[in-house]
Amino acid sequence: MDKDKVIVFDTTLRDGEQAAGGSLNVQEKLEIARQLQKLGVDVIEAGFPVTSPGDFEAVTLIAKEIRSSIICVLTHAVLDAIDQSWKAVKGAENPRIHIVLSSSDIHLFYQLRKNRDEIVKMSCDSVARAKKYCSDVEFSAMDASRTEPEFIHRLLKAVIDAGATTVNIPDTVGYAMPDQFGTLIKGVFKNVPNIDRAVVSVHCHDDLGLAVANSLQALKLGARQVEGTINGIGERAGNASLEEIIMALKTRQDFFHLNTGIDTTQIYKTSRLVSELTGFAVQPNKAIVGANAFRHSSGLHIDGMIKMSKTFEIMDPKSVGVPSSSLVLGKTSGRHAFVERLAELGYSLSDEGLSRAFAAFKELADKKKDVTDRDIESLVAEDKRLTAETYRLDRIQVTCGDRGIPTAAITLIAPDSKIKSDAAIGTGPVDATCKAIDKIIKIPGIKLTEFTVKSVTEGIDAIGEVLIRVESNGITYTGRGADTDIIVASAKAYVNALNRVVAARKTKAKK
Ligand code: KIV
Ligand code: ZN
């Protein structure tokens, strides 16, 4: 293996999905996995199959379809869990089983109630069991950064002897400082005698905002697999942001002398997709993928940029796939110009999808003078949602104001193509809208937990994107909708969320 190649391990679909409120359905996971394959990640951690039937199904489908990346499943260090996890991933061209077990005294004493000898035995037995199925086995010593280094050395030596091909050193609670984490990595190379038989991996969390710094420090000191997520999403404050690590390695090749197999021009698209499907907005100042990451505002900077872009820009926005042109389309733009713009943005739609998207574009261009790339992205995302809907919004009529009682009349098209209408009053137009929809799609115990509106572009005529999260039986479902009218967008988002609840209930009933 090339000693300067870093293996990029993406855990957006596992650790990323563990972020509070970030659940994805099976089709969404598959869509993200396809995009991760285009991005060129070496390993896709597709899920934790023993924890949910949805994860099991998603891993099975991803394993079947995605052929060029390694497909990895996470499992507890329990023999039966390993057997079950293998069933989910065994269809993959390149499967990997990833076993996790805690190593720190604080976890051993308070959580597992086991001593160190028992941990070593459980770890080795688990690796040996996984090895019966699969040659590619990763072992993670959870909470490694708070574990006594001597025990990490002993544990890693034992699991490598048992057959682990990758050993992962997580900073599970985001506690380590870059210097300390570096010392831990150096110690592993120095004190684990068989370390040359395994790839050393790192997995850092961002509780103190140091996940990327710690990961880069470890790579500098010899780790050759890095784990992280797109947009840095994940448990609590999230994981190391993969796009930041990848671009740091690329931009500072002179410092790291390392490379990855990533097609960096796919970064922006991957980030947008993950944000769109998880409903987690990317903060504007986020490195690499934030809306302001390549925007210059001060006169001094703009002057420098006009004279020579390198004065204030260390990366070419094109290298991460940020759409280069500020070209806008409008009312007079024809189908040809629209198709070309779609292609430049990386979309390839079916003839039918294209006709629908073009019709939606024309409708928007009638309401809005300039149609930008973000508007087009929003139109395509909205179309994708609508074609998959069970219930669809047909009509909405709302009255509101500071005197009257907010009232909404809604017509939906039900799955059997029946037209269903109802009306409700509420504390405001959105409340009335949701109540009218509730009267048609009758799901008991639904609780709306989050409602966000944001405009896609500047300007009073902008498309509004609404995100709604609802809770049903303790599970969160996310719905999205877009329209130039935010009440219509809210209705679409609420219907979208309820459709997800309906779909999940149907899947559960089938099992
Ligand atoms: O943070 C962590 O320790 C993990 C392990 C499963 C690698 O997510
Ligand atoms: Zn983690």
Side-chain angles (χ1 to χ4, degrees):
M1 209 193 100
D2 175 0
K3 66 177 186 21
D4 299 330
K5 157 105 200 276
V6 173
I7 299 167
V8 176
F9 178 116
D10 179 278
T11 182
T12 305
L13 298 177
R14 198 278 300 167
D15 215 325
E17 209 221 3
Q18 275 172 229
S23 68
L24 296 162
N25 67 28
V26 172
Q27 284 312 315
E28 289 167 336
K29 286 186 186 173
L30 194 55
E31 200 177 336
I32 291 177
R34 286 185 189 127
Q35 181 56 31
L36 290 172
Q37 177 170 243
K38 277 197 199 149
L39 179 65
V41 303
D42 300 282
V43 186
I44 297 174
E45 187 159 62
F48 201 164
V50 292
T51 59
S52 89
D55 252 26
F56 193 96
E57 190 186 347
V59 171
T60 312
L61 289 179
I62 292 169
K64 210 162 125 199
E65 183 180 319
I66 305 294
R67 303 321 271 176
S68 57
S69 309
I70 293 171
I71 305 300
C72 173
V73 273
L74 183 67
T75 166
H76 308 291
V78 173
L79 302 188
D80 188 47
I82 295 166
D83 298 342
Q84 293 309 315
S85 303
W86 172 247
K87 286 187 189 148
V89 79
K90 68 178 181 202
E93 180 87 30
N94 300 298
R96 173 181 293 187
I97 299 178
H98 177 188
I99 297 157
V100 60
L101 190 60
S102 288
S103 56
S104 65
D105 285 344
I106 193 160
H107 281 208
L108 264 57
F109 185 78
Y110 290 104
Q111 198 185 2
L112 300 178
R113 298 184 192 283
K114 300 228 180 279
N115 64 37
R116 288 181 174 181
D117 291 340
E118 289 170 302
I119 294 295
V120 173
K121 181 166 181 335
M122 274 174 81
S123 304
C124 292
D125 289 350
S126 301
V127 170
R129 180 64 151 244
K131 214 58 194 179
K132 274 193 6 188
Y133 298 119
C134 181
S135 60
D136 189 347
V137 175
E138 173 166 340
F139 176 82
S140 281
M142 181 136 92
D143 207 17
S145 56
R146 292 193 301 168
T147 304
E148 196 180 60
E150 286 67 31
F151 182 55
I152 288 285
H153 304 153
R154 176 183 161 204
L155 182 59
L156 296 191
K157 178 186 178 305
V159 294
I160 294 171
D161 278 340
T165 42
T166 300
V167 285
N168 185 33
I169 302 171
D171 182 23
T172 302
V173 290
Y175 180 72
M177 293 291 121
D179 256 10
Q180 286 178 321
F181 200 57
T183 304
L184 175 63
I185 301 299
K186 268 197 250 170
V188 164
F189 280 108
K190 190 162 166 234
N191 299 305
V192 178
N194 52 3
I195 199 68
D196 57 325
R197 291 185 0 225
V199 173
V200 173
S201 169
V202 287
H203 173 114
C204 299
H205 278 268
D206 209 29
D207 300 64
L208 293 172
L210 291 167
V212 169
N214 282 333
S215 304
L216 289 172
Q217 180 78 348
L219 292 175
K220 185 81 183 148
L221 292 167
R224 284 296 172 267
Q225 176 175 286
V226 66
E227 303 193 356
T229 59
I230 301 299
N231 300 338
I233 62 170
E235 189 82 40
R236 304 182 312 280
N239 287 65
S241 159
L242 276 185
E243 64 277 8
E244 293 179 20
I245 293 171
I246 291 160
M247 288 314 289
L249 295 179
K250 184 174 163 123
T251 309
R252 297 306 311 273
Q253 235 280 335
D254 62 316
F255 180 77
F256 289 103
H257 307 290
L258 295 172
N259 46 68
T260 68
I262 295 294
D263 175 359
T264 59
T265 63
Q266 292 291 329
I267 286 180
Y268 176 77
K269 194 153 180 247
T270 315
S271 162
R272 296 263 351 123
L273 181 71
V274 170
S275 169
E276 149 79 19
L277 295 184
T278 56
F280 293 133
V282 173
Q283 80 209 47
N285 59 319
K286 164 88 173 59
I288 318 295
V289 289
N292 291 347
F294 295 99
R295 272 189 178 173
H296 303 266
S297 143
S298 101
L300 182 75
H301 288 211
I302 292 171
D303 177 57
M305 284 292 294
I306 292 168
K307 289 175 178 148
M308 166 61 161
S309 62
K310 282 199 175 130
T311 49
F312 287 100
E313 208 159 70
I314 59 165
M315 292 168 273
D316 181 348
K318 279 197 224 113
S319 70
V320 297
V322 172
S324 58
S325 87
S326 50
L327 202 82
V328 289
L329 299 179
K331 224 173 157 154
T332 54
S333 309
R335 192 179 167 102
H336 185 68
F338 179 68
V339 171
E340 243 178 40
R341 198 72 210 112
L342 275 180
E344 274 163 28
L345 292 172
Y347 294 109
S348 74
L349 305 185
S350 65
D351 285 350
E352 211 184 305
L354 197 62
S355 297
R356 276 197 313 268
F358 186 61
F361 158 71
K362 279 294 188 190
E363 202 181 307
L364 178 66
D366 265 343
K367 295 182 191 158
K368 188 174 186 287
K369 190 166 157 276
D370 295 332
V371 179
T372 66
D373 291 345
R374 278 291 288 116
D375 292 322
I376 295 173
E377 284 171 5
S378 182
L379 285 183
V380 175
E382 180 66 15
D383 181 66
K384 226 171 9 176
R385 277 193 297 271
L386 284 179
T387 49
E389 293 289 52
T390 313
Y391 286 89
R392 273 187 304 126
L393 180 70
D394 183 44
R395 239 160 240 263
I396 168 167
Q397 179 79 43
V398 174
T399 51
C400 63
D402 63 350
R403 298 292 142 94
I405 299 171
T407 312
I410 300 276
T411 302
L412 299 183
I413 303 175
D416 50 9
S417 298
K418 276 204 188 114
I419 307 280
K420 296 194 171 177
S421 302
D422 220 315
I425 56 168
T427 51
V430 174
D431 185 44
T433 298
C434 294
K435 283 187 173 140
I437 294 170
D438 280 337
K439 284 182 165 179
I440 303 173
I441 313 175
K442 299 182 179 79
I443 306 176
I446 287 283
K447 205 169 100 204
L448 195 148
T449 54
E450 194 180 326
F451 175 85
T452 332
V453 193
K454 78 174 173 17
S455 80
V456 168
T457 51
E458 292 109 13
I460 200 77
D461 57 356
I463 293 182
E465 280 180 342
V466 172
L467 177 139
I468 281 179
R469 291 193 213 274
V470 297
E471 218 179 88
S472 164
N473 292 336
I475 302 173
T476 300
Y477 299 86
T478 307
R480 284 167 295 258
D483 201 281
T484 46
D485 180 322
I486 57 166
I487 304 299
V488 177
S490 307
K492 286 178 178 172
Y494 194 58
V495 172
N496 183 236
L498 295 195
N499 276 333
R500 282 157 190 268
V501 182
V502 172
R505 288 188 176 193
K506 266 196 206 139
T507 316
K508 210 168 159 198
K510 265 195 242 153
K511 292 203 162 114

